Each structure stands twice: as C-alpha cells, then as structure tokens.
C-alpha cells in the first residue's frame, strides 16, 4: 500500500490502462448488442420470408402442393445449427407435414413471433418462429434455429474478451512506459535538489531546455537554485566582511588600552580587556554558528571516527575543570561506537555540553557523559534542570534559560543543535530524575 501511494508513475500507468480498457469495454458492449440485435432481426426476417412464401404457395397449389413443398425443404441438409422446422396440421390437429411430433406450446396461431426450444437431431435447439391459420382452418408453423447465431455471438464474446485482455496488457505496458519516462525526468530534478541539499551547490536539474511542463519546472528549479547560491554567496561575503570590520577596531582598542594603562584607574584596564575578549568570543561563536547551520546536510569532509574514544579524551581534558568546581565527572562509553562525521565539531559539541553541565552543577554534584550505539550521546548533571516549557527555547540563539542563571552569551547550546543537525542527529532535553539530561541521537 505504501509503495502504491509513493509510486505516482505506477498509479498513472494503472489509471491509463483502466481508462483505455473501460473505453474498449464500452465499445465492445455497444458493438455486441448491435450485432446481437441485427442478427436477431435477420433471423426473424428469414422466418417471415419463408412463412410468407409457403402461405402464397398454399393459396395457389392447396394442401397437396404445400405438403409437397414442405417435404422438399425438409430433404435439404442445412448446416449444423441452421436447422429449419415446419409443421402443417388440419383443423383437428392432425399433422399433415413437417418435422415436429406435435404442436408446440406457446406457438399461437395469430402470426405472433415466439421463441421456444425444439428437439433437434443433436439435442434441444433454441428457435424463433411464427404460426398462422390458413384458409380452411389449417395451421402452419415455420421456425428457424438460433444455434448458429448464438454460437457466433459466443465467438464474438470470446474474441472481445481476448481483445480486452490484450488491450489491458498493452495499455498497462504503454502506460507504464509513458509514466516511467515521466518519472525518470521528475527523478532527475529530485536528484539535483537532493544533491544541492547535501552541499553540492553547483548541481542543476537537467532538461530545462525542453519546451514542456517538466522542462519548465526544471528551469524554475534551476533559477531558484541560482538565486539561493547568489544569496548564500552574498551572505558569506557580508559575514566575512563584518567579522573583519569588527575584529579590527577591537584589536586596535586593545592596543590603545595598553598605551593608556598608566592613566586609567587600577583594574579598569583588565575589565576592559575582559569585555573585549568577551565580544571577540561572541563574534567568533556567531560566525561558527552561522557556518555550522550553512553546512546542515552537507556530507563533504565527513569521515568515520570513534565517538567512544573521543568521549574519553574529552573527559580527560575536563577532569581538571571538574575537580576545580568540586564536581565528579564520569564517562561511560560502549567500545568502538563509530560515527561518520567531523570529529572536531563533535569535540566542540561535547565541550559545550560539559561546559554547560559544569556551570550549573553544584559543588559536590556530578556530571555524567555516556555514549552508546545509534549513536546516542548524553550529558547529565545535578543542577536545577530545565523546565519543560523552556526545553526548546534553550537551544535558540542568545537564550540563557531562566533569569539568574550563570553568565554566558547564550550560543553554546544553539551551536550544539547546529552541529547535531549538520550530522543528521537531533539535540533535545529528556526527562531525568535529577538535573538536566541532554540527548544527542538519531
């Protein structure tokens, strides 16, 4: 069922085959009933002509002449299924000529058309006939077998059934071929869009030169991609220029502080330098975050690395910081959890999570870093935790949780989510019996 819903070309082929087959069946039905009605009329006309001829003969030659003529006609050997039936009887019901043993039920002497089943040489025969009264109270019946007509209609039904089947197969094959061509052209456009999504900004959809609807769609997609590439280029150039223009005055300001240090009150220079460093760090974090978000879905430059080994390495690096904060840091990782990604970016992700956990964990608390296959990386702490209403907000830029939290510029967790999404993973805060539990997983 899912394949049927997902395969538009399969549905298109089925609809095409169904439409063509339905059209063929309508034509067959109209043709069949027209032929059936025409053959029925032809058979009735044969009966009427034969009866009219015998009535005229009786008027000229009388009883003996009619008996002789009926006998002559019965001596003829008709084709199988085309038998003729005659019955000539007097007013008392005595049979004078014919090939029926007695007068059949339903054959009224009012010249009305009747249908009946007569005994034939090879079994019952379905017939159409008329019966009439002749001068002198004689009765005359003429009937013709319907077996030839019925056999012809049966053959016609078989031919049309076979034709319908062949039409269905041909329509299905033709519809599949046409729909498959349509699907291939649409698929090339999808492939181009997926390649651009994965970072190949130079990829374009083929077939834009064709003067049809799919060609127009490819042209519009390519023009859209050209526009996106232009905007990204402008954004990168603007960001780089902005970074350069901001770093230069900050660096110059730091140099001027050194020259004026003797003229400033004690401690003012250090506070000013700290503020400059904070602004520089904020600028670097913003640039890193923008670059990371621009790389989302880009698989270029990724390689297999051991996330377990990286976790233990980051634990060693942060061990001294944890001891200085009076917090117990533990690392538990299953052996050789391999991940395809950028090891340096994952190291920064773990560093940001550990910085955040150490910042909020009270003295005497603990921070727990775990790694499991999936991959699944978690960092838990013994801090105040994050209210459920703020669990998405803390991943936004410049979000610093609740008022009164530890200082920071509010970009660390935003960068964590950007790195996770760049690798096709999610970053979230899960329920925990104590503190906060950050989960990075597929």
């Amino acid at each position: 069922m899912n394949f049927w819903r997902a395969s538009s070309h399969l549905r298109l082929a089925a609809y095409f085959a169904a439409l063509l087959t339905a059209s063929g069946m309508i034509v067959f039905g109209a043709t069949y009933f027209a032929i059936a009605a025409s053959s029925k009329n032809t058979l009735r006309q044969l009966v009427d002509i034969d009866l009219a001829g015998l009535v005229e003969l009786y008027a000229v030659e009388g009883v003996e002449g009619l008996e002789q003529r009926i006998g002559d006609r019965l001596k003829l050997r008709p084709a199988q299924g085309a038998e003729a039936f005659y019955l000539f009887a007097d007013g008392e019901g005595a049979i004078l000529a014919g090939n029926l043993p007695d007068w059949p039920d339903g054959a009224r002497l009012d010249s009305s058309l009747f249908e009946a089943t007569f005994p034939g040489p090879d079994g019952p025969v379905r017939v159409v006939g008329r019966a009439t009264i002749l001068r002198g109270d004689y009765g005359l019946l003429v009937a013709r077998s319907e077996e030839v007509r019925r056999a012809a209609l049966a053959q016609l039904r078989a031919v049309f059934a076979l034709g319908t089947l062949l039409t269905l197969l041909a329509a299905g094959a033709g519809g599949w071929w046409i729909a498959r061509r349509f699907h291939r052209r649409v698929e090339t456009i999808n492939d181009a869009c997926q390649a651009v999504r994965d970072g190949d900004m130079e990829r374009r959809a083929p077939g834009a030169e064709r003067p049809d609807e799919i060609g127009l769609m490819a042209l519009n997609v390519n023009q859209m991609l050209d526009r996106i590439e232009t905007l990204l280029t402008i954004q990168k150039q603007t960001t780089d220029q902005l970074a350069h223009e901001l770093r230069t005055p900050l660096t110059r300001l730091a140099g001027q502080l050194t020259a004026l240090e003797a003229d400033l009150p004690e401690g003012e220079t250090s506070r000013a330098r700290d503020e400059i460093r904070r602004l520089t760090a904020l600028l670097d974090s913003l640039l890193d975050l923008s670059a990371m978000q621009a790389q989302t879905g880009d698989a270029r430059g990724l390689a297999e690395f051991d996330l377990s080994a990286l976790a233990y390495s980051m634990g060693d690096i942060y061990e001294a910081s944890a001891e200085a904060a009076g917090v117990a840091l533990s690392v538990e990782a299953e052996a050789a959890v391999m991940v395809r990604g950028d090891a340096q970016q994952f190291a920064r992700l773990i560093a940001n999570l550990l910085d955040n956990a150490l910042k909020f964990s009270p003295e005497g608390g603990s921070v727990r870093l775990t790694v499991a296959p999936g991959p699944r990386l978690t960092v838990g702490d013994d801090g105040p935790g994050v209210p459920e209403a703020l669990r998405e907000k803390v991943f936004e830029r410049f979000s610093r949780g609740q008022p009164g939290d530890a200082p920071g510029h509010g970009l660390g967790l935003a960068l964590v989510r950007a790195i996770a999404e760049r690798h096709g993973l999610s970053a979230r805060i899960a329920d925990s019996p104590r503190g906060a539990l950050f989960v990075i997983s597929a």
Side-chain angles (χ1 to χ4, degrees):
M1 180 62 71
N2 291 335
F3 175 73
W4 170 258
R5 290 176 179 173
S7 302
S8 58
H9 65 286
L10 181 61
R11 293 198 302 272
L12 184 60
Y15 295 153
F16 179 77
L19 178 61
L20 196 57
T21 303
S23 300
M25 293 181 67
I26 292 173
V27 173
F28 158 70
T31 304
Y32 176 81
F33 287 112
I35 292 175
S38 177
S39 61
K40 189 88 168 182
N41 289 333
T42 300
L43 190 61
R44 291 172 179 175
Q45 289 174 3
L46 288 176
V47 170
D48 292 343
I49 292 172
D50 200 5
L51 180 63
L54 292 177
V55 170
E56 290 180 2
L57 183 63
Y58 174 77
V60 175
E61 299 184 7
V63 174
E64 294 182 358
L66 182 57
E67 291 177 356
Q68 183 177 356
R69 295 293 179 154
I70 291 176
D72 292 341
R73 294 187 180 186
L74 291 177
K75 292 178 183 179
L76 299 175
R77 294 180 177 272
Q80 185 176 2
E83 294 90 350
F85 295 87
Y86 300 96
L87 187 58
F88 180 43
D90 60 17
E92 301 297 327
I95 297 176
L96 304 177
N99 55 351
L100 292 175
D102 52 21
W103 197 268
D105 296 333
R108 294 180 298 176
L109 295 171
D110 57 359
S111 299
S112 62
L113 192 72
F114 69 87
E115 296 182 9
T117 300
F118 290 172
D122 299 318
V125 178
R126 189 71 179 171
V127 300
V128 174
R130 289 186 190 274
T132 188
I133 297 177
L134 302 177
R135 178 173 46 84
D137 205 22
Y138 288 93
L140 176 63
L141 179 148
V142 176
R144 293 274 182 166
S145 171
E146 278 196 287
E147 296 304 313
V148 171
R149 170 180 170 275
R150 293 164 67 89
L153 291 177
Q155 290 179 352
L156 185 62
R157 289 194 298 271
V159 169
F160 272 110
L162 179 61
T164 300
L165 177 61
L166 294 177
T167 300
L168 178 61
L169 295 176
W176 175 267
W177 180 76
I178 294 172
R180 189 63 183 170
R181 288 192 62 192
F182 166 80
H183 175 74
R184 273 198 225 100
R185 293 185 61 190
V186 173
E187 198 63 25
T188 58
I189 299 176
N190 287 332
D191 291 342
C193 293
Q194 290 173 1
V196 173
R197 180 200 64 189
D198 294 337
D200 185 4
M201 295 303 301
E202 297 181 357
R203 183 74 173 271
R204 293 296 180 267
E209 71 284 354
R210 296 189 179 183
D212 56 15
E213 294 85 351
I214 301 180
L216 180 60
M217 180 172 65
L219 177 62
N220 289 332
V221 167
N222 289 342
Q223 291 176 344
M224 178 187 66
L225 294 177
D226 290 340
R227 180 63 175 164
I228 291 174
E229 184 178 19
T230 300
L231 293 175
L232 289 176
T233 301
I234 294 173
Q235 181 188 33
K236 185 178 184 303
Q237 291 173 347
T238 303
T239 303
D240 292 344
Q241 184 68 23
L242 178 62
H244 174 74
E245 295 296 332
L246 287 176
R247 278 198 183 98
T248 299
L250 287 174
T251 303
R252 188 181 302 116
L253 181 59
Q256 292 173 352
L257 283 174
T258 302
L260 297 173
E261 186 172 4
D263 300 328
L264 294 175
E266 185 178 354
E268 288 296 325
T269 305
S270 297
R271 284 192 290 273
R273 284 199 182 97
D274 290 341
E275 190 66 21
I276 291 173
R277 281 194 292 270
R278 191 188 72 80
L279 290 174
T280 303
L282 174 61
L283 177 61
D284 290 338
S285 295
L286 281 171
L287 293 174
D288 290 342
L289 180 58
S290 297
M292 199 63 59
Q293 290 176 333
Q295 289 180 318
T296 299
D298 187 353
R300 293 176 298 176
L302 303 184
E304 289 276 333
F305 71 93
D306 190 342
L307 182 59
S308 301
L310 179 62
Y312 282 117
S313 176
M314 295 301 296
D316 293 338
I317 293 173
Y318 273 82
E319 185 175 2
S321 299
E323 288 181 2
V327 175
L329 174 62
S330 63
V331 180
E332 295 182 6
E334 295 191 28
V337 176
M338 304 304 294
V339 174
R340 181 173 179 79
D342 188 317
Q344 291 184 347
Q345 292 178 0
F346 259 93
R348 188 161 187 183
L349 179 149
I350 295 173
N352 285 4
L353 289 176
L354 291 178
D355 283 335
N356 185 78
L358 291 174
K359 183 191 302 182
F360 289 100
S361 291
E363 186 175 355
S366 65
V367 172
R368 301 163 297 281
L369 169 61
T370 67
V371 174
R376 178 184 171 87
L377 183 149
T378 67
V379 174
D381 59 54
D382 291 340
V386 181
E388 188 170 355
L390 297 177
R391 289 183 181 179
E392 279 299 312
K393 182 177 178 59
V394 297
F395 289 104
E396 298 176 359
R397 295 187 183 196
F398 304 110
S399 176
R400 296 167 54 187
Q402 304 179 75
D405 285 341
H409 47 63
L411 294 176
L413 293 180
L415 187 59
V416 165
R417 172 163 282 183
I419 294 173
E421 290 179 348
R422 195 255 164 137
H423 293 81
L425 304 175
S426 66
R428 60 186 176 87
I429 300 176
D431 293 331
S432 176
R434 61 186 187 191
L437 180 63
F438 289 83
V439 179
I440 309 299
S441 63

